[in-house]
Each structure stands twice: as C-alpha cells, then as structure tokens.
Amino acid sequence: MTISILGARVIDPNSGLDQVTDLHLDGGRIVAIGAAPAGFSASRTIQADGLVAAPGLVDLGVSLREPGYSRKGNIASETRAAVAGGVTSLCCPPQTKPVLDTSAVAELILDRAREAANSKVYPVGALTKGLEGEQLAELVALRDTGCVAFGNGLKEIPNNRTLARALEYAATFDLTVVFHSQDRDLAQGGLAHEGAMASFLGLPGIPESAETVALARNLLLVEQSGVRAHFSQITSARGARLIAQAQALGLPVTADVALYQLILTDESLREFSSLYHVQPPLRTAADRDGLREAVKSGVIQAISSHHQPHERDAKLAPFGATEPGISSVELLLPLAMTLVQDGLLDLPTLLARLSSGPAAALRLPAGELKVGGAADLVLFDPQASTVAGEQWFSRGENCPFIGHCLPGAVRYTLVDGHICHEA
C-alpha cells in the first residue's frame, strides 16, 4: 500500500528534524520525506494539517500476559491497546507461565504477535532458568530466537557470585542485561514507600534504600564485568543520581522510568485505592521531581508504561491483598503529553524519551524516521484531548487515569506502513 501523509509537523528526535513537510510510504518503508519521488502514486492520502508525525513509540515494559495469564490479557488484546497509544514496538518481560526461558516460549510469543499484526514485539528473556536465580537460562539460544535482552524481573539473584558470573557470560556475547533493582530483604512484605504516608495508613513500607542498595551492588558488578546494562523502573531521586554517576564514569548503562512515577506520588494512596498499588512503589514528591529532572537531562533516556493488566477481581481485595500494577499502555502518548502541558519537557524531548531513547537503550531497529527505514510512525493531534477509558482495548481496566481528560489524541498508528489504529 502506498500512502502520502501531507502537511504534518514531522519530528524525528534521532536526526533533529522538526518541520512541516510530507511523508511518502511504499512497501512498508518511508520512500521520501518532502517531495514525492518520481512516478509515486499514493493509494491513500492522509491530510495531516495540524497533526504531528513522529516515530512510533517504543515501550520497554509491556506485560502481554501470554502464555499463562489469559484472564488478565493476551498478545492480541494488549498489542491492540499498544497501537491505540501510539506504540509500534514493545518489549515484553519474561514473567510468563511457563517462564520465557526457552526458545519454544519465545517462538510462541513471536508467532502470536505476528498473527495479531499490531505492535512489533521484542521479548526480554529470563536471565536464569525459571527466574529462580540459580542456573543461567540458554541465553544464546534465546538471543538467536529473537530475545533482545535478559533479566530476572523483581526476582533478585541473591548470590553475588552467581550474578557476577551471569554478567560476565552475558558480556562475552555482547548481551544486554535488564535490572529491576530492589533488595529482596529490605523490600520484603512492603506495600508502599516507607515514609509519612505509609505510617499514616498503617501500611508496611519499602525504603528508598531497597532500590539504592541493590542498584549500588548491580552497578559495581556491571563495572567489573563490562556488561551492557539497562536499569528499569527507577523510582527514586537518589537512584537516578547513582545512574548519572555511573554514566559519568563511562559505564555502558541506560535507564527507564515508569510514566506513572513521573505523575503520581505516594500521596495518591491516601484513599487506599488498590489502583495505586504498584511495585516498586510510588515514592515522594521530591523523588518524582528528581526523576523528572533525570528524564529532562537524559540520564534516564526512556519513559515506559510498565503496563500490567489485571482482571477485575485482582484489584477488589483489601489493598495489601491486591495484585500490583497499572494498565496504561494505550494512554502512553496522551498521558506523557501532560509533561509537555505542565512545562516539564518540550515536545521533541518527550518524543525522544518515548522513541529514539528506548530504542537505543536496547538496540532495537526502531525509533526513527528516515528514508529507507520502516514506516513505523504515529500521527497525533497535540491540540485535541483524550478521555481515558472512553475507548478501551486492554483486558485490564486497572487504571487510575480512567475518566481523566488528557492532552493530545492519537489519530493514526502505522506499523510497516499498515494502518493499525485510526481514530
């Protein structure tokens, strides 16, 4: 299918392009930016006056819930939700059932993603078998199947020697390891950030040091091994400073933050709503401000949804008995636009943190608009608004933003030149 997109403000953070121009697509590729090539005839023309055309968003944390947790979601439903949020490429974590520690599970996920024909899916494989922290998974075989990185989620590898050997092995094959830094002992039994709000509500706390102690250990082992490391779901200002110090030393370290951590704080827990029960927990306003500054400066180069859909019953019990997580991938763009609306980021910087930044962190073939490149892009209206929940594709409705009026509205999402979402 040949498509011409006319009169859009084209923003490509990777090249610095920001101008009103045209895009021409053919065979799933961008064949021209500006004037159409000779002999080009569009089978569809999109008049994009007033719209922004940007690289399709890249989300490094989307739980697809398949295989094993179909009551919460599946690959078809959650990738459909992703394109509604402007996401054309996403990474799914290894916490499936069975765990994503074999080529067979990776192949199943990739086959189902191809059948769904929505967002492109890049699996993150398990670093250890069964995520048990003892024996290494078959990392090279998983890489050859299509896994782009490896991690153990919040299931910490308790033995430092085991972790050190795992990182050295990964470094030998130039594999990227994803860390979720939270000390198991310091976080054990905790439900909220350890501070005034947790004390007021009588909830067991998780101290900031649960992140920083684990983060310091992991960074030292990264320095020793030389492995490429990505630190996911940074939650504290001090954690962001540790990442900045490691980058200043020249370590191959990148980081992302959950979008909701840039918007919410532990004050949101005041009404005991389980919709705000997340792990790692929401922290203080000072932490939120520190994370925002780290995103602005580029220390944290990726903003992700860390989408975790749940069935309705998973959030109906008392706060401490509910399952943690927020379903929000289909709000990624409009929710992120609140950062522009509030003057915290300019639009090109925001788009960089949502596209080229995450793509570079995990070396994904995504996040840019260039002639000859894949026609993965999002067209959105920055002046319109989105009423969250008015249209909902994810199976998980566990989202505290439902009912909110958010700035910006995704009009088209294209993956390989195919229109996957139109509104």
Side-chain angles (χ1 to χ4, degrees), residues 181-305:
S181 297
Q182 181 163 278
D183 183 272
R184 180 183 60 182
D185 297 327
L186 289 171
Q188 188 171 18
L191 295 171
H193 170 69
E194 186 175 275
M197 184 53 61
S199 298
F200 174 73
L201 297 174
L203 294 173
I206 299 176
E208 173 201 78
S209 57
E211 174 169 280
T212 53
V213 166
L215 191 53
R217 176 195 75 154
N218 293 338
L219 285 168
L220 287 170
L221 293 177
V222 166
E223 183 176 19
Q224 174 183 297
S225 64
V227 73
R228 283 180 55 90
H230 179 75
F231 288 85
S232 189
Q233 287 187 278
I234 300 297
T235 67
S236 68
R238 182 170 290 181
R241 289 197 295 272
L242 288 173
I243 295 292
Q245 290 166 11
Q247 292 172 344
L249 291 172
L251 299 188
V253 167
T254 55
D256 75 59
V257 63
L259 177 56
Y260 54 75
Q261 294 280 5
L262 300 176
I263 298 170
L264 305 173
T265 70
D266 61 346
E267 289 289 330
S268 301
L269 304 180
R270 187 174 294 275
E271 301 301 322
F272 274 108
S273 172
S274 62
L275 293 176
Y276 298 99
H277 180 196
V278 295
Q279 284 284 354
L282 299 172
R283 299 205 184 271
T284 66
D287 285 310
R288 181 187 63 183
D289 293 344
L291 292 172
R292 288 173 168 180
E293 187 56 41
V295 168
K296 185 176 181 179
S297 67
V299 167
I300 294 176
Q301 70 184 74
I303 298 172
S304 303
S305 69

Side-chain angles (χ1 to χ4, degrees), residues 114-421:
R114 280 189 286 268
E115 291 170 7
N118 293 311
S119 297
K120 296 175 179 176
V121 172
Y122 297 95
V124 174
L127 185 61
T128 62
K129 291 182 179 179
L131 298 175
E132 293 175 356
E134 296 177 0
Q135 293 181 308
L136 272 184
E138 298 292 337
L139 304 187
V140 174
L142 286 166
R143 178 202 64 187
D144 293 343
T145 305
C147 291
V148 296
F150 302 89
N152 236 50
L154 283 172
K155 292 191 174 182
E156 185 181 47
I157 298 177
N159 187 294
N160 288 338
R161 180 182 290 272
T162 300
L163 178 56
R165 296 294 175 262
L167 300 185
E168 289 164 2
Y169 182 83
T172 300
F173 292 95
D174 193 29
L175 306 177
T176 302
V177 174
V178 177
F179 291 91
H180 291 74
S181 297
Q182 181 163 278
D183 183 272
R184 180 183 60 182
D185 297 327
L186 289 171
Q188 188 171 18
L191 295 171
H193 170 69
E194 186 175 275
M197 184 53 61
S199 298
F200 174 73
L201 297 174
L203 294 173
I206 299 176
E208 173 201 78
S209 57
E211 174 169 280
T212 53
V213 166
L215 191 53
R217 176 195 75 154
N218 293 338
L219 285 168
L220 287 170
L221 293 177
V222 166
E223 183 176 19
Q224 174 183 297
S225 64
V227 73
R228 283 180 55 90
H230 179 75
F231 288 85
S232 189
Q233 287 187 278
I234 300 297
T235 67
S236 68
R238 182 170 290 181
R241 289 197 295 272
L242 288 173
I243 295 292
Q245 290 166 11
Q247 292 172 344
L249 291 172
L251 299 188
V253 167
T254 55
D256 75 59
V257 63
L259 177 56
Y260 54 75
Q261 294 280 5
L262 300 176
I263 298 170
L264 305 173
T265 70
D266 61 346
E267 289 289 330
S268 301
L269 304 180
R270 187 174 294 275
E271 301 301 322
F272 274 108
S273 172
S274 62
L275 293 176
Y276 298 99
H277 180 196
V278 295
Q279 284 284 354
L282 299 172
R283 299 205 184 271
T284 66
D287 285 310
R288 181 187 63 183
D289 293 344
L291 292 172
R292 288 173 168 180
E293 187 56 41
V295 168
K296 185 176 181 179
S297 67
V299 167
I300 294 176
Q301 70 184 74
I303 298 172
S304 303
S305 69
H306 288 286
H307 171 77
Q308 293 181 291
H310 288 295
E311 73 281 17
R312 191 180 299 272
D313 288 351
K315 289 289 189 179
L316 290 181
F319 189 94
T322 60
E323 296 186 54
I326 289 175
S327 173
S328 61
V329 68
E330 59 198 279
L331 298 178
L332 184 59
L333 183 61
L335 201 56
M337 284 291 288
T338 62
L339 302 176
V340 175
Q341 184 182 60
D342 294 343
L344 301 169
L345 297 174
D346 59 42
L347 184 55
T349 300
L350 176 67
L351 292 174
R353 304 295 180 262
L354 292 170
S355 58
S356 57
L362 294 193
R363 296 183 286 187
L364 304 179
E368 61 180 341
L369 299 178
K370 66 177 182 179
V371 174
D376 297 345
L377 57 115
V378 59
L379 280 165
F380 65 96
D381 186 344
Q383 302 303 319
S385 59
T386 297
V387 178
E390 196 169 56
Q391 195 176 36
W392 200 255
F393 297 100
S394 172
R395 283 199 178 179
E397 297 181 3
N398 51 301
C399 179
F401 304 106
I402 286 179
H404 291 213
C405 186
L406 304 172
V410 175
R411 297 304 187 204
Y412 300 88
T413 303
L414 292 86
V415 178
D416 285 334
H418 171 68
I419 299 174
C420 294
H421 175 76

